[in-house]
Each structure stands twice: as C-alpha cells, then as structure tokens.
Amino acid sequence: NFAEIAQSGNGNQSVSIGAGGLRLQGGGGTGNDQDNSAFLYQGDAGTQPITMTGGSDITLIGGSSTKLNVGGSSHGNRAGIENRATDPGSLQSIVLDGGDITLTGGTLGSRNYAGILSDSSSQSITGATNIILTGGDSGGIGGEGNRAIFSAGVNQIVTATNITLTGGDNGADNYARIGFFGTGALTQTI
C-alpha cells in the first residue's frame, strides 16, 4: 500500500505547493504489514525542483507498523521526498518561503523512517525558518532504525534560521541526521 506523487522514468519533475503545505505519513499495521509508504519522488534521471510558497510547511512522519527486520532499503513504512536519479549531475532542490520542515521517525517496528533523500546525486534545501528532525520514539533494530534524515549522495546544501536534531527516546538506531554518503568529491554546507 502506498501513496505517491511520482515521475518514475527519465526526465524532470517540478512541484509547486502553496500555503496548505505538504504532509506525507507512512502507514501502520500489525503482523507482516510493511511497505505502507508515502513518497514524492523523481525516478531514473533528471531534476526535481520543489517550491513551497506562502510560508507553507513540509511535514514527514514515519509509519507505525509493528514488523521488525523488514529487509532492504526499499522496505518499511516510510515517508519521504526523494530523487532516485543515478546520475551524479542530477539535483533535487527544495525552496521554502519561510515555512518549516519537520521530520519525525516512526514507531514500533523497523525502517519506519522520514527522510529527504537524494541517493546518488546532490540536493539543496533552502529558505526554511525551522528544520526539526526527531528520531522515532520506539522500535528500530540495528541497520533499520526509525530515523529522521536528510541525505545526499554527492553534494548537499541546507540553510535555515534554526535547525534542531533530536535522537529517539527508545528502541535502536532511531537517530536524527543531516549527512551525505557517496564517493568522489563531496561537499556539505549547512
């Protein structure tokens, strides 16, 4: 089960969101329920500019499925904005007009994360008043935490008036992180 705003092939996706803002929340479930995700993503190659106007906010909340050890990185009850392009020249840019970005890791099971990700390329996140990343309050196992993350594969720029990162209260691997992971020349500017 999923909810998506997606451009799944090659090409660009441009998104403009007004004062109502953007809210994505991973799903829940018991037993073997997993992969109940909510994403705004761009696929194989290209750029993804996202423009938030009127002081609008971005809110991402990881899910609450009880399943642990869900497997690879494409599993879990996740909420995310992601550029999945494999071209290191691709760019995901998120420009706010004074709104807030709030990411909260999920609870109970594992890999119920909230993230803004540009796996193999660069991203720029600018114009926010507050950026608040909070790791999940429960659940998580080693390598599959209920995290709140910004992550880029090449270069990353993040600007805001205030940035607050708080690790989760319980569980395992439930952290908050702004980081970049990749090979080659990398630059992170916060």
Side-chain angles (χ1 to χ4, degrees):
N1 301 319
F2 58 86
E4 294 179 340
I5 299 171
Q7 195 284 12
S8 58
N10 291 332
N12 302 323
Q13 174 171 262
S14 179
V15 178
S16 296
I17 299 174
L22 173 66
R23 179 184 171 94
L24 300 172
Q25 182 168 353
T30 59
N32 286 322
D33 287 341
Q34 69 178 40
D35 301 337
N36 301 319
S37 60
F39 270 88
L40 187 163
Y41 79 87
Q42 186 275 332
D44 299 330
T47 61
Q48 178 166 260
I50 301 168
T51 304
M52 308 294 292
T53 61
S56 57
D57 299 328
I58 295 173
T59 304
L60 307 179
I61 303 169
S64 60
S65 168
T66 59
K67 183 166 175 139
L68 293 168
N69 199 24
V70 299
S73 62
S74 63
H75 296 292
N77 296 318
R78 305 155 292 137
I81 298 172
E82 183 173 19
N83 182 345
R84 298 178 182 171
T86 56
D87 175 7
S90 294
L91 173 68
Q92 172 168 267
S93 64
I94 301 173
V95 179
L96 286 87
D97 183 20
D100 296 340
I101 300 176
T102 304
L103 276 60
T104 306
T107 58
L108 303 176
S110 65
R111 205 177 298 258
N112 296 330
Y113 68 78
I116 297 179
L117 316 161
S118 194
D119 300 331
S120 299
S121 55
S122 297
Q123 72 181 5
S124 172
I125 303 166
T126 60
T129 299
N130 297 294
I131 293 177
I132 302 165
L133 278 60
T134 306
D137 281 338
S138 64
I141 61 173
E144 290 189 9
N146 297 329
R147 307 167 180 153
I149 53 175
F150 287 3
S151 175
V154 182
N155 299 310
Q156 180 164 249
I157 297 170
V158 178
T159 65
T161 304
N162 303 297
I163 298 176
T164 303
L165 281 69
T166 306
D169 286 336
N170 295 295
D173 217 17
N174 296 336
Y175 56 74
R177 175 185 287 166
I178 297 175
F180 64 103
F181 308 92
T183 59
L186 304 172
T187 303
Q188 178 167 263
T189 305
I190 301 176

